Amino acid sequence: MAPDAGLEPLLSPKSVALVGASPKQASVGYVILENLLNRFKGVAYFVNPKYDTVEIAGRQVKFYKSLSEIPEPVDLVVIAVPAQVVPQVLEEAGKRGVKAAVIISSGFAEVGNKDLEDEVKAIGKMYGIRILGPNCLGVYNAFNGLDTVFLPTDRAGRPPAGPLALISQSGAVAASIMDWAARRQIGLSIMVNYGNKADVDDVELLRYFGQDDRIKVITIYLEGFRYPREATGFLEVAKEVVKKKPIIAYKAGRTSAAQRAVRSHTAALAGSYEMYKGLFRQAGIIEASNIREMFDMAKALASQPLPRGRRVLVLTDSGGMGIQAVDSLESLGLEVPEVPESIRRDLKRELLPFSALGNPVDVTGSATDQHYKVVLEALLPTAFFDMALVITLMQVPGLTQNLAEYIIDAKRFKKPIAVVNFGGSELVQTFTKTLEEAEIPTYSTPDRAAKALWALYEYAKIRRVVRT
C-alpha cells in the first residue's frame, strides 16, 4: 500500500529549494547543498542573495536571490538561516505554494523562544505548509536521495536502502545511528528527525511508514511527549501499525536526572518511564534497552519468518558458547527442549562419537560443515523446534565458507535462524557477509542472537501466530 499523500512533499519531494545554501565548505548550508547535488534524484534549487553562479566541486551552481525567483514549482523548502529570519522565509514559501518545509535552524522553544516557534506554526497553518522541526536534521531518504542532514558524509555515513525506517527525537542520535548502520551495511532507507515537532510529529510519521510497503520494520528513538494527548494519539496509531509490521522503540530519559536533560534538549516532557513502558506494552511495541539491541532485533524482524512457538534449537561447535546461549534464551522466557531420543540415535550414526546431542547440540571443535548440515536437516523441519540459534566459530579448522551455504539452504524450512559468528579474520568477515546478504542475521555474541529470536517470538504473539 502506498503511504498517505499528505507527507509526500516532505519525505519524497520531486523538487527542493535550500534557503541558506552556501559555497563555504564546512558550513551547514554547504553540506546540505552538497548532499542535494550529489544524491537527490529530483530537482534542487539553491537560495542565497549573496551569490550568483559559483563553481563547486567542478560544477557551476546557480544561486537564486529568493524563493520568488525560482521559475518552477517547489515541493519542499529546506530552511537553514538564523531563527529570526525563518518566519520571513516561510511566508515567502507559502506565497509560492510550497507544501512542506524542513526547518534546520535552532533557537526556538528548545531555548525558551516559544513565541517565535508559535509564529512559525501560525504561518505554516495559514498557508497549509507541513513543517518538520525546527531544530532538526530533517530527512534522509535513500530511495530518492533526499538528504538534509548537515553532517559531512566522512563523519556521518549514509546507510544503503533497505527494509528499516528510523524516527528519532534526537538529531545527534539519528546521525550516529545512520553512521553505525552505514558502516555495517544495514539497510536503513528513511530517517526522520523532527526536533521540536512544531507540526509534523511521531504519530504522523508512524502512520506514514505503516503504509509504506517498502518499510518492513519501524524503529523509534524517543525521549518524551509534550502533552498527554500525544501519547494517546501515538498509542492509537501504533496499535494499527503493528497489525501490519513491527515497531521497535528505545525510550531514553528513564531516570530523574535524564528526564531533566530531556526537558532542555527538545522542549519535551520525559514523563514517568513506567508510563512509557505501559504504553509500549498496550500498543504492541517491542521495547529495546539500547540502540544496538534495537537494530539487532530489527534486522531479524525484517528478514525472518515468525515462529510458531518458543522452542529453540541451539547448534554449536563450542560448548561454552552453547551454555551462554541457553542461559540467554531461558532468561528471556524461550525454551531449549531436549532432542528426542529417537532423533539422537539417528544423529549418532552421522556425527562424531563425542558430540553432545541433548540441546545444545555440540558438534565440537572437530566439526565439519557437513555435521552442521546433518543437524539442521534432521531437527529444524520437525515439530520439536520453532527456531534455531546456530553458533559457528570459524576458527575450527574443519569449517569452510560452504557452511554459509548450508545455513542459507535451511531457510527452506521456513523457521527463524540467527547465527553467532565471533572473530575478525577474513574468513569470519566473508562468512558473515555471505549470510547477511542472504538475509540470515548474524551476531557476535549469543545473548544478542537470543534477544533477536525473542523479538521474533514477541511479535509472533502480538500477531497471534504462536501456538496456544
Side-chain angles (χ1 to χ4, degrees):
M1 182 170 63
D4 189 319
L7 294 185
E8 282 290 290
L10 176 67
L11 302 179
S12 191
K14 293 182 173 59
S15 57
V16 177
L18 171 61
V19 180
S22 173
K24 294 182 179 177
Q25 293 191 20
S27 67
V28 168
Y30 178 84
V31 174
I32 301 175
L33 177 151
E34 190 176 44
N35 293 343
L36 295 174
L37 274 179
N38 292 340
R39 289 187 293 281
F40 183 52
K41 294 176 183 176
V43 182
Y45 303 99
F46 305 105
V47 178
N48 191 321
K50 296 179 183 177
Y51 306 100
D52 293 310
T53 299
V54 181
E55 184 176 318
I56 298 175
R59 300 166 68 174
Q60 294 297 312
V61 178
K62 178 177 174 56
F63 285 79
Y64 294 88
K65 302 299 181 186
S66 66
L67 283 171
S68 58
E69 279 194 8
I70 297 173
E72 302 296 332
V74 173
D75 293 333
L76 170 68
V77 59
V78 180
I79 303 174
V81 297
Q84 63 271 21
V85 184
V86 171
Q88 175 189 329
V89 173
L90 202 60
E91 182 136 12
E92 188 179 5
K95 291 175 179 176
R96 278 294 318 269
V98 176
K99 296 301 181 187
V102 174
I103 303 176
I104 305 295
S105 318
S106 56
F108 294 86
E110 82 280 2
V111 294
N113 203 347
K114 186 176 180 298
D115 289 345
L116 186 59
E117 190 163 311
D118 287 343
E119 183 182 358
V120 164
K121 287 164 67 175
I123 294 169
K125 191 171 182 180
M126 180 190 306
Y127 289 102
I129 303 172
R130 300 311 313 272
I131 296 172
L132 189 69
N135 180 37
C136 70
L137 287 183
V139 181
Y140 168 76
N141 186 333
F143 293 129
N144 71 354
L146 175 64
D147 185 352
T148 71
V149 177
F150 57 82
L151 304 172
T153 55
D154 61 337
R155 300 190 182 196
R158 300 326 196 242
L164 310 183
L166 170 67
I167 301 169
S168 178
Q169 195 161 357
S170 165
V173 170
S176 298
I177 290 172
M178 286 174 61
D179 187 50
W180 178 85
R183 307 305 174 197
R184 289 159 181 78
Q185 288 296 296
I186 293 173
L188 175 60
S189 285
I190 307 180
M191 180 286 299
V192 183
N193 164 236
Y194 51 75
N196 294 5
K197 52 182 171 182
D199 176 22
V200 175
D201 61 12
D202 354 41
V203 177
E204 284 191 274
L205 293 167
L206 195 56
R207 185 184 295 113
Y208 181 92
F209 291 133
Q211 296 170 344
D212 189 337
D213 289 338
R214 299 171 300 180
I215 301 301
K216 305 302 180 189
V217 180
I218 302 167
T219 61
I220 301 174
Y221 171 81
L222 179 68
E223 292 176 356
F225 298 116
R226 295 168 301 180
Y227 313 110
R229 68 175 181 272
E230 284 188 351
T232 303
F234 183 86
L235 174 62
E236 290 173 356
V237 172
K239 279 182 174 179
E240 291 304 310
V241 172
V242 297
K243 293 175 183 177
K244 296 179 285 186
K245 62 188 69 175
I247 303 170
I248 307 173
Y250 169 46
K251 167 68 176 75
R254 302 181 182 194
T255 64
S256 57
Q259 289 167 16
R260 290 198 304 271
V262 167
R263 284 192 290 272
S264 65
H265 184 205
T266 52
L269 299 175
S272 160
Y273 169 59
E274 291 306 314
M275 183 271 284
Y276 287 93
K277 195 176 182 70
L279 183 148
F280 294 154
R281 192 180 302 114
Q282 276 186 273
I285 293 171
I286 296 169
E287 186 180 4
S289 57
N290 55 58
I291 294 294
R292 186 188 69 182
E293 185 176 278
M294 181 162 71
F295 283 90
D296 279 352
M297 295 191 291
K299 71 177 183 177
L301 284 160
S303 65
Q304 296 302 291
L306 295 180
R308 294 301 301 254
R310 69 176 76 205
R311 298 167 303 176
V312 184
L313 165 66
V314 178
L315 172 56
T316 181
D317 59 359
S318 161
M321 282 285 200
I323 292 166
Q324 292 174 49
V326 174
D327 277 345
S328 298
L329 290 163
E330 292 197 334
S331 70
L332 292 166
L334 300 177
E335 296 177 4
V336 186
E338 290 272 331
V339 174
E341 184 59 40
S342 59
I343 302 179
R344 289 197 212 191
R345 285 196 297 269
D346 293 336
L347 288 175
K348 281 179 182 177
R349 288 195 290 268
E350 299 197 60
L351 299 180
L352 297 168
F354 40 85
S355 298
L357 305 179
N359 195 16
V361 176
D362 181 5
V363 290
T364 78
S366 299
T368 66
D369 304 335
Q370 184 66 24
H371 292 143
Y372 275 87
K373 183 179 181 182
V374 164
V375 175
L376 288 171
E377 292 188 345
L379 294 175
L380 205 50
T382 70
F384 298 109
F385 298 100
D386 305 299
M387 302 175 267
L389 192 160
V390 182
I391 300 167
T392 58
L393 298 190
M394 298 302 289
Q395 294 82 359
V396 168
L399 300 184
T400 74
Q401 184 68 21
N402 290 335
L403 177 55
E405 301 305 324
Y406 292 156
I407 295 171
I408 293 165
D409 184 56
K411 289 172 66 174
R412 73 183 191 274
F413 303 128
K414 301 189 184 307
K415 292 182 179 179
I417 301 171
V419 174
V420 176
N421 188 26
F422 186 78
S425 69
E426 186 177 341
L427 175 61
V428 168
Q429 292 177 44
T430 303
F431 184 81
T432 299
K433 185 172 184 287
T434 301
L435 290 174
E436 292 279 356
E437 287 177 350
E439 297 190 320
I440 300 283
T442 66
Y443 304 93
S444 59
T445 57
D447 60 303
R448 293 174 64 181
K451 197 61 181 281
L453 293 177
W454 170 85
L456 287 162
Y457 177 68
E458 283 296 298
Y459 188 57
K461 288 196 299 182
I462 291 164
R463 292 289 297 269
R464 302 180 189 276
V465 301
V466 297
R467 298 185 192 90
T468 55

